[in-house]
Amino acid sequence: MLSGERRQDRASRTHTGAIHATGVDKTYRAARGRTVVALSDINLSVAAGEFLSIVGPSGCGKSTFLNLVAGLLPSSAGTITVGGNVVAEPSTDVGIVFQNALLLDWRTVLENIMVPIEVMGLARKEHREAALQLLEMSGLASFADSYPWQLSGGMQRRVAICRALVFNPPILLLDEPFGALDAMTRDYMNIELMRIWQQYRKTVIL
Ligand code: ADP
Ligand code: MG
């Protein structure tokens, strides 16, 4: 029964995962007073639990959009809401995986996954359990005490995904997370990602 309630809990949390962008512009100030229009009048809705892939050539504004949703950059115009709240700063509703895994070399795999917990000041003990569960789910249980440089590129990406999921955010943003991997590992990682999505029912933007 307890696990049933937990599952319910998780499912109800995903209702906070809806994303709406309305009339979003982003203009960067570049060198010598020039400006770069990265996004212009973006209108987009992502339902809670949906998996959205954004496809486009390099420089079309994919990373910019994800950074706006994550609250890491301010928009120049328009509004983005996450779970009904206007995004104004980074929030615990969003986990993000960047193009490079960005793991800390001097910390073990488990300690890397715990970084957001420390930064946000969340309960260590409870989230350590969550971190170990995620490692188990990613087939990395036996690497908890290894260092990032002892892992393959694909394994490092999986650690970065565990780190983004450890505080159980309803939304997962992935910015070309498998870009620099070889084709076979990339295929494998995409399948892994679908598995994670099916298991945890996050709202995902890739
Ligand atoms: P993508 O992720 O699709 O490759 P980006 O969102 O990184 O695209 O970039 C969109 C546009 O904004 C590009 O023309 C890029 O040069 C420009 N841009 C991105 N970041 C900055 C920045 N910090 N300052 C100025 N221009 C930027
Ligand atoms: Mg990019």
Side-chain angles (χ1 to χ4, degrees):
M1 200 57 220
L2 185 64
S3 69
E5 280 167 18
R6 279 236 178 94
R7 214 166 294 140
Q8 181 77 48
D9 222 307
R10 224 170 229 161
S12 61
R13 267 209 78 173
T14 60
H15 290 302
T16 62
I19 300 165
H20 297 286
T22 317
V24 171
D25 297 348
K26 179 65 187 179
T27 303
Y28 290 106
R29 248 179 278 277
R32 275 178 255 115
R34 285 191 314 116
T35 56
V36 177
V37 178
L39 298 173
S40 171
D41 195 22
I42 301 295
N43 296 282
L44 179 77
S45 284
V46 190
E50 192 176 343
F51 191 118
L52 173 73
S53 297
I54 299 176
V55 182
S58 176
C60 77
K62 304 180 295 294
S63 298
T64 300
F65 183 71
L66 292 180
N67 279 302
L68 294 183
V69 173
L72 296 172
L73 284 177
S75 59
S76 307
T79 311
I80 298 179
T81 62
V82 162
N85 302 312
V86 174
V87 176
E89 56 182 17
S91 119
T92 52
D93 283 345
V94 177
I96 186 160
V97 181
F98 297 97
Q99 189 158 7
N100 302 314
L102 296 174
L103 301 175
L104 304 174
D105 262 347
W106 60 92
R107 283 183 159 229
T108 65
V109 163
L110 181 60
E111 288 166 354
N112 264 285
I113 295 174
M114 291 296 286
V115 165
I117 303 305
E118 291 168 23
V119 171
M120 296 177 193
L122 302 174
R124 271 192 72 87
K125 195 165 167 235
E126 177 193 334
H127 287 95
R128 192 172 180 280
E129 285 307 310
L132 290 170
Q133 260 179 38
L134 284 164
L135 280 171
E136 183 81 42
M137 186 263 315
S138 332
L140 293 171
S142 57
F143 293 91
D145 298 321
S146 302
Y147 287 88
W149 42 269
Q150 295 172 313
L151 308 183
S152 70
M155 291 157 85
Q156 291 180 12
R157 303 310 165 95
R158 276 184 277 163
V159 174
I161 294 172
C162 292
R163 182 181 56 191
L165 290 173
V166 70
F167 51 96
N168 198 23
I171 295 170
L172 182 62
L173 305 179
L174 301 126
D175 191 359
E176 299 191 50
F178 312 137
L181 299 174
D182 63 84
M184 270 173 70
T185 309
R186 200 160 54 222
D187 280 352
Y188 169 76
M189 292 299 295
N190 279 321
I191 294 167
E192 279 289 288
L193 185 58
M194 293 311 285
R195 198 170 64 84
I196 291 171
W197 175 63
Q198 277 169 358
Q199 186 166 345
Y200 291 91
R201 282 292 154 186
K202 305 284 178 192
T203 308
V204 178
I205 305 183
L206 178 72

